[in-house]
Amino acid sequence: MFIGQTRAEDWPFPLDSALFALSGTRNFTRLDGYLCWFDLDTERPEFSKYILIRRKSPRADAELSEAQPLLESEIKLMQVRRLVEAGYSFEKSVKLMVTTKEEEVATKRAAPASSKPNSVKPKLMAPQKVVAVSGIAVLDDDPMHRFFADGLADDIATDLARAPGIEVIPRASLPARDQAGTNSAQTHAQSHVLSGSMRRSTTHLRLNVHLTDVHSGKIVWAERIEYPTGANAAALEQSISGVVVKALCRELAVSAPETARPETADPVAYELFLKGRSLYLRGLYTHSMRAAEALVARAIERDPSFARAHAQRSICKSHLVLSTTQSGETGPVTDGVSDAERALSIDPDLPLGHAALGLARYAIGEYAAAELALRKAVELDPQLFEGQFLLARHLRLKGDRAGAAERFAKAVELRPEDFRASGLLGEELQALNRQDDATARFRSTLDLVERALQDHPDNAGALAFGAAVLAVLDMPYRAATWADWALTIAPNDCLVRYNIARMHAIFGDNKAALDHLQNAFKVPPVAARRLALWMQFDEDFAGLRDYASYQRLLNAEP
C-alpha cells in the first residue's frame, strides 16, 4: 500500500520517458491524494487530485458532500495557475476567477423558482464571445515583416473590438510566446483565439491565419493569403483585417463592423510610420523620440492625408516638449496641437488623434481641454494604450490617486511590457497605502526595465527610471550605477534628472536630490509648471518639503 508514502517508478515503453509519483492519505472511509508526473509536451510538472470513497460505508454520503468542494477548490487553483502561466498577475488571475464565479451565481439565481435541481438535465453554458488575438509569427529574418505582422494583429484587434457583442484581448495583453493566445483564451473560458504565421518566398509573402475553437481545440476557419513583396502594405493590412473580422463575426453570429478605409495608399509611408511607432514605444527617451518623429514626418511627406501619422507626430513632439531641457530645441510648443488637429480634420473619430490632442493640451498646460480629449479617446477605443496611460497621468496631476491607479492598471493590461506604466502604477498604489501591492508592482517593474535595457542598453530614460525603482527596493549600489550611466548618456534630459533626484531623495541625500531637481527644472516655463504640479504629489520628495529651494521649484519660480 502507498498510504502515507510516496511511490515512484519508471514505466515501460511508451511511458518510459515520464516519472510518475503517487501519494495519498486515508481515513476509514476515504482515500485521497495526488498523482504527479512530468509532462514532456508542456515541459513542466503536472498533477491530478483524486478522492476514492468506500461504497456503502456509513459515511459515504457525507464524504461525497465534503469531496465536492475540495475538488472544486483544486480546479480553481489549477485555473489560477494557468492564468499566471499565461502572463497574468496573481491578483488579476484571482479577480478573473471571482468574476467568473459571480456570473455563475447570477445565472443560477435567474433560473425559474419552480425548477427542481434533480430533475433538470445539466446544460453546457454557451461560450462567451471573447476572442484572444495572438501575434503573427514571422518565419524569416526581415525586420519589416515583424512591423507588418504587429500592425496586422493590432488592426484585427481594433476592428474586431468594434463589432457588437465581442470582447477582445489584444496581443499586447498576452505573453510573447506564440502559444500564449490559446492558453490565455482557455483560462478565460473564451470561445476562440486568432493566430497565424508569415513566411517569405522568392517573390511573395505567404500569410497563414487560423481561428481556433478553444473548447474543442479544432481550427474552425483558416485562410492562406499570398501577395507580392512590393504590395501596398497598408491597404493589404486593412484588406486582410476585414476578411478575418468578417469571418469571425459570421462564426460568432454577430454583426460585422463597417470596414474602415485604408489609412494610406502609400506602402513606403506606412512602413515609415510602423518604424517610427516602434521607436516611440521604447519609452519616453529623447533620442528614440526624435528618431520616431523624423520617421513619421517622412511618412507625412509622402502622404499628407495619413491621419494616424499626424497623430503620432503630435505625440512625439509633445513628449519632446515635456522632456527636453533646452528651450526651442523641438520647435514651438503648439506644434503638437496643430498636428493632432490635422489628424482629426482627416478622421474625426480617430482614437489616437484624440489621445494626441489630449497630450498636446496637457503639454501646454490646458488641463481641462486635455481631459476632455483623453476621455474621448478612451470612449472611442478602450483598448488604446495611449488613451489609458495619458489619462492616468492627467488624473494624477489632479490628485485623483485612485482614478490614476485604475487607469494605470488598465494601461499595464494593454502593454504589460511597458515599465513606465507599471512603475507609475506602483507609485499610485503606494500613495493609496497599499504597500504590499506597491512593492510587488515595483519588483515587476524592475524586471521590465531590465528587459528593456537588454534590448537597448543606451536607453537613459529606462536607466534613470530603473534607478528610482532600485532605490525603492533598497538596492543602493545598482541604483547609483544606473544613475551614473544615465547621466553619462543624457545629462540634459529633464526626466532623467527628475528620476535621479527621486533616487537620491529616497536614500535621504537631500542636497543631491535638490541639485538634480534644479537641473530638471531648466525647461520652458509651461513645462516647469507641469513638472511642479507632478512633483507636489510625488511621495518620494516628502523629505524635501521644508527646504526653501524646493518650495521655489514647487511654485515654478526661477
Side-chain angles (χ1 to χ4, degrees):
M1 293 292 290
F2 56 85
I3 306 307
Q5 303 177 17
T6 297
R7 175 177 175 82
E9 58 185 52
D10 292 319
W11 288 30
F13 181 85
L15 300 174
D16 55 344
S17 57
L19 180 68
F20 289 79
L22 192 62
S23 64
T25 59
R26 68 172 296 174
N27 58 24
F28 293 110
T29 308
R30 186 180 71 197
L31 171 67
D32 65 74
Y34 290 91
L35 175 65
C36 308
W37 69 95
F38 184 79
D39 190 313
L40 294 180
D41 291 330
T42 61
E43 295 186 350
R44 64 189 176 197
E46 298 289 356
F47 64 91
S48 177
K49 174 77 173 178
Y50 67 85
I51 298 178
L52 305 178
I53 297 172
R54 182 177 298 165
R55 299 175 65 181
K56 299 183 180 179
S57 63
R59 280 186 47 79
D61 291 340
E63 293 287 359
L64 281 171
S65 298
E66 294 174 6
Q68 184 174 355
L70 287 174
L71 291 175
E72 288 178 350
S73 297
E74 290 292 331
I75 292 171
K76 290 176 184 177
L77 287 172
M78 182 181 67
Q79 290 172 328
V80 169
R81 175 190 171 190
R82 293 291 188 264
L83 284 168
V84 172
E85 289 171 349
Y88 292 88
S89 67
F90 179 78
E91 179 183 1
K92 176 66 174 177
S93 301
V94 173
K95 182 179 179 181
L96 288 167
M97 292 300 302
V98 170
T99 302
T100 302
K101 182 62 177 177
E102 289 174 349
E103 291 173 352
E104 291 176 359
V105 171
T107 301
K108 291 178 181 178
R109 288 178 177 172
S114 60
S115 298
K116 296 182 180 180
N118 293 333
S119 63
V120 178
K121 295 182 179 180
K123 295 182 179 179
L124 295 175
M125 294 181 64
Q128 297 181 19
K129 297 174 183 179
V130 184
V131 180
V133 179
S134 183
I136 306 295
V138 178
L139 305 180
D140 58 63
D141 298 327
D142 190 329
M144 272 314 306
H145 298 166
R146 178 72 271 160
F147 293 129
F148 177 83
D150 289 346
L152 175 59
D154 289 342
D155 273 2
I156 291 172
T158 299
D159 292 343
L160 190 59
R162 293 166 45 228
I166 296 181
E167 181 182 343
V168 175
I169 303 174
R171 68 180 179 87
S173 296
L174 303 174
R177 304 188 308 275
D178 290 338
Q179 302 94 328
T182 303
N183 291 340
S184 177
Q186 287 173 333
T187 53
H188 280 74
Q190 269 78 342
S191 55
H192 295 80
V193 59
L194 188 71
S195 57
S197 62
M198 189 167 65
R199 183 190 298 274
R200 178 176 182 172
S201 66
T202 307
T203 58
H204 287 72
L205 287 176
R206 173 178 291 181
L207 180 69
N208 290 293
V209 189
H210 54 265
L211 183 66
T212 304
D213 185 303
V214 173
H215 301 286
S216 67
K218 297 179 179 179
I219 295 177
V220 296
W221 175 85
E223 187 68 57
R224 179 181 293 117
I225 304 169
E226 291 190 6
Y227 58 95
T229 304
N232 185 331
L236 181 66
E237 193 173 287
Q238 191 67 45
S239 175
I240 294 172
S241 176
V243 170
V244 171
V245 169
K246 287 180 180 178
L248 185 53
C249 289
R250 284 196 302 270
E251 180 68 27
L252 297 179
V254 299
S255 301
E258 294 182 6
T259 304
R261 68 177 181 84
E263 293 183 284
T264 176
D266 189 324
V268 177
Y270 191 69
E271 291 178 2
L272 289 167
F273 167 78
L274 290 177
K275 290 179 180 178
R277 183 158 176 81
S278 176
L279 283 170
Y280 152 73
L281 289 174
R282 289 184 186 178
L284 308 183
Y285 175 35
T286 303
H287 178 73
S288 297
M289 205 65 68
R290 289 189 191 287
E293 182 198 2
L295 287 168
V296 176
R298 289 172 58 193
I300 293 172
E301 288 176 5
R302 295 189 63 92
D303 184 358
S305 64
F306 193 171
R308 198 147 63 114
H310 284 284
Q312 188 63 62
R313 183 165 68 170
S314 170
I315 290 174
C316 291
K317 287 184 175 182
S318 296
H319 279 307
L320 286 169
V321 166
L322 293 171
S323 65
T324 186
T325 60
Q326 300 178 16
S327 301
E329 206 173 87
T330 61
V333 295
T334 55
D335 276 0
V337 175
S338 60
D339 274 302
E341 289 178 338
R342 172 60 178 150
L344 292 174
S345 70
I346 299 169
D347 185 352
D349 292 327
L350 180 67
L352 191 65
H354 288 279
L357 182 60
L359 177 62
R361 297 293 186 193
Y362 174 93
I364 61 176
E366 297 179 2
Y367 300 118
E371 182 170 355
L372 288 174
L374 292 173
R375 290 194 180 278
K376 181 65 174 178
V378 171
E379 176 188 340
L380 289 170
D381 185 3
Q383 306 296 328
L384 179 66
F385 169 78
E386 283 87 349
Q388 300 289 358
F389 178 73
L390 296 175
L391 181 56
R393 293 202 316 179
H394 175 78
L395 293 175
R396 167 171 165 153
L397 207 69
K398 293 174 60 179
D400 182 0
R401 309 310 290 265
E406 180 184 359
R407 296 295 178 177
F408 277 131
K410 290 181 179 178
V412 168
E413 289 181 12
L414 292 170
R415 291 199 75 237
E417 72 275 21
D418 192 279
F419 65 83
R420 198 171 299 272
S422 179
L424 292 175
L425 173 58
E427 292 181 34
E428 299 313 298
L429 294 173
Q430 194 173 49
L432 295 169
N433 295 318
R434 294 171 56 183
Q435 191 57 52
D436 290 344
D437 292 336
T439 300
R441 176 50 54 188
F442 285 131
R443 293 190 185 281
S444 298
T445 301
L446 180 58
D447 291 339
L448 296 175
V449 175
E450 289 173 336
R451 292 178 201 172
L453 291 174
Q454 286 177 357
D455 294 333
H456 307 287
D458 63 339
N459 189 334
L463 285 165
F465 196 87
V469 174
L470 287 166
V472 173
L473 297 175
D474 196 23
M475 300 181 185
Y477 177 76
R478 290 186 70 194
T481 302
W482 285 21
D484 289 343
W485 193 0
L487 284 173
T488 300
I489 297 170
N492 296 322
D493 189 298
C494 82
L495 294 182
V496 167
R497 289 281 186 172
Y498 182 88
N499 282 312
I500 292 176
R502 288 177 54 220
M503 179 200 75
H504 285 294
I506 292 168
F507 286 137
D509 190 347
N510 293 341
K511 182 180 182 304
L514 288 168
D515 287 344
H516 285 288
L517 280 178
Q518 293 280 2
N519 279 283
F521 272 78
K522 291 179 180 179
V523 290
V526 65
R529 288 192 292 272
R530 184 211 57 91
L531 196 59
L533 286 173
W534 184 271
M535 189 171 68
Q536 72 176 324
F537 295 110
D538 201 324
E539 301 297 325
D540 295 333
F541 294 128
L544 304 181
R545 289 170 183 164
D546 292 335
Y547 286 79
S549 55
Y550 177 83
Q551 290 298 324
R552 285 195 295 272
L553 292 176
L554 201 60
N555 295 322
E557 297 175 4

